[in-house]
Amino acid sequence: MSLAETIRTHVREHRSGMLTDLLFALAWVTVVSVLFDVLDGPQWAFYLCMGAGVVAYFGFFASVEAASEKR
């Protein structure tokens, strides 16, 4: 199997999850960027908030998964 076929197969199997990941990342970066444009906060805090998006991502989807298991 070629690399292109492997990538196509992976994308086909995980399409909705990849789209969800992309939308979460775009929303997080947009909110943080707008917030720091308005507040004119320090650069280190901007990077800290961008990095916190990784923690927020896993926390959000872990809570969604836990809530759906309780149903």
Side-chain angles (χ1 to χ4, degrees):
M1 183 180 283
S2 72
L3 179 61
E5 290 175 20
T6 303
I7 292 171
R8 264 189 242 115
T9 302
H10 179 78
V11 170
R12 193 176 306 119
E13 291 174 355
H14 301 353
R15 181 173 297 167
S16 65
M18 292 172 74
L19 181 62
T20 304
D21 296 347
L22 177 64
L23 292 176
F24 185 90
L26 288 173
W28 187 267
V29 169
T30 301
V31 168
V32 171
S33 295
V34 168
L35 181 67
F36 274 84
D37 283 345
V38 170
L39 297 178
D40 196 31
Q43 194 72 26
W44 63 267
F46 174 77
Y47 290 128
L48 186 65
C49 287
M50 285 294 184
V54 175
V55 176
Y57 170 83
F58 286 108
F60 176 74
F61 285 106
S63 67
V64 167
E65 185 176 327
S68 64
E69 286 179 359
K70 287 187 178 182
R71 282 185 156 197

